[in-house]
Amino acid sequence: AAAPFPASPPTPSPSFTPEQTGEERETEVEVALSPGEKSLCASLRLIEVDLPRTLPHLGLFGPRGSLYHECRDILAAWAAFRPDLGYVQGMSYIAAVLLLHLPPGAAAFSALCNLVTLPVLCGMYKLGIEEVESRYRIFYQLLDRICPPMRMHLEDIGLPCELFLLEWFLTLFSKVLPLPFACLVWDLLLLDGEITLFVAAVLLLDLSKQAILTAGDVAEGREALAGVGRIATQGGAEGFLQAMRRVRGQVQDEVLMAVSRLSTIEFSVKSLLL
């Protein structure tokens, strides 16, 4: 009698040999993935690398930390939600701060999405030359108003703003400032809008201008920049808020208009269709 089912085809041999490393096998698997899936895989690997060095003094976001899995999950969810942007270094700090104030899950994820898609930040996370340069120009406009000699001095010693401003923005100041003061910047961002980011960046330099302007080379300049968070917070929370208000009061109308135009030019429906 004929067999009720045809014989099973021979099992295909694996596409890798036992001698191949896990990394080589992973590379072969990724070849078959779509671009979006490849982007997600790259994001997940970078998240695993970044989390242990996110707010390390708290000990909460390393593999044994109590918020490690929660932070990894909302960052992975973001990377899957927006594969066009994916995970960018700095987002782990934003997710970490949110998890210190919000319950894990939907609340923290929604807040993360809302923050990183603010036009000033989103343009930075895209890491496109034109988008990033437009934010540097706004920063320099305000810096020239508040502390005129600073820009030329930084460039003279080899410290243009791209060497520090990108990190300050992408971490929402939660790396350069002590956490309570970074949270004050976040509060002002939610109250007064994205101009707060430029005000905070200029303020850090202005309060540290004595150390920065006396730096004679790039090494001394980097050392001075490493101390801006400590100097900016010496007056306590009230002194910091007063200094923020002082700088905010000197913001030119053209700077405010330039910040407003970022969302119109880069994120309007019209620009997306063209």
Side-chain angles (χ1 to χ4, degrees):
F5 302 102
S8 300
T11 302
S13 59
S15 61
F16 54 87
T17 63
E19 291 77 17
Q20 285 178 295
T21 66
E23 183 177 343
E24 289 170 335
R25 292 195 294 271
E26 184 177 323
T27 301
E28 287 200 3
V29 170
E30 288 191 8
V31 168
L33 298 179
S34 69
E37 290 168 332
K38 290 179 181 178
S39 173
L40 179 58
C41 287
S43 290
L44 294 178
R45 286 195 296 268
L46 192 53
I47 290 168
E48 297 284 352
V49 171
D50 275 358
L51 278 179
R53 55 194 185 192
T54 299
L55 302 177
H57 61 288
L58 297 181
L60 296 174
F61 302 101
R64 297 186 179 182
S66 59
L67 290 175
Y68 171 78
H69 294 288
E70 290 83 354
C71 197
R72 183 194 61 187
D73 288 350
I74 66 169
L75 289 169
W78 161 261
F81 176 59
R82 288 294 302 268
D84 56 318
L85 289 175
Y87 172 78
V88 180
Q89 287 182 305
M91 289 180 180
S92 63
Y93 275 82
I94 298 180
V97 173
L98 289 171
L99 286 170
L100 296 175
H101 296 86
L102 294 171
F109 173 70
S110 297
L112 176 68
C113 293
N114 289 332
L115 281 173
V116 300
T117 54
L118 289 172
V120 168
L121 287 180
C122 191
M124 286 290 216
Y125 282 123
K126 287 181 177 181
L127 299 176
I129 294 176
E130 184 176 346
E131 289 89 349
V132 172
E133 287 290 340
S134 65
R135 286 144 182 82
Y136 291 162
R137 287 193 294 271
I138 295 172
F139 166 75
Y140 277 135
Q141 275 186 278
L142 184 56
L143 182 63
D144 290 342
R145 172 69 175 268
I146 303 300
C147 188
M150 182 67 70
R151 174 179 180 175
M152 183 173 294
H153 180 73
L154 288 173
E155 293 179 347
D156 286 345
I157 63 173
L159 277 177
C161 71
E162 53 261 36
L163 296 184
F164 56 88
L165 190 65
L166 187 66
E167 180 182 275
W168 293 358
F169 274 31
L170 296 190
T171 60
L172 269 184
F173 295 90
S174 55
K175 186 175 181 180
V176 65
L177 284 173
L179 195 55
F181 289 84
C183 289
L184 290 178
V185 175
W186 286 41
D187 288 343
L188 292 173
L189 169 66
L190 297 176
L191 285 169
D192 199 28
E194 295 164 273
I195 187 61
T196 298
L197 302 179
F198 298 97
V199 169
V202 168
L203 176 64
L204 293 186
L205 297 184
D206 186 51
L207 293 178
S208 305
K209 61 187 174 187
Q210 182 175 353
I212 297 172
L213 292 176
T214 56
D217 55 32
V218 65
E220 292 180 0
R222 285 184 180 275
E223 184 178 352
L225 284 174
V228 297
R230 175 183 53 81
I231 293 174
T233 58
Q234 286 178 345
E238 185 58 36
F240 183 76
L241 287 173
Q242 288 179 0
M244 286 286 290
R245 286 194 288 267
R246 171 178 61 81
V247 175
R248 176 63 179 85
Q250 298 180 66
V251 173
Q252 314 97 301
D253 289 342
E254 55 266 31
V255 169
L256 291 173
M257 292 177 63
V259 173
S260 177
R261 280 197 299 267
L262 291 176
S263 59
T264 304
I265 295 172
E266 297 177 6
F267 298 96
S268 67
V269 173
K270 182 178 178 181
S271 66
L272 292 174
L273 292 175
L274 290 178

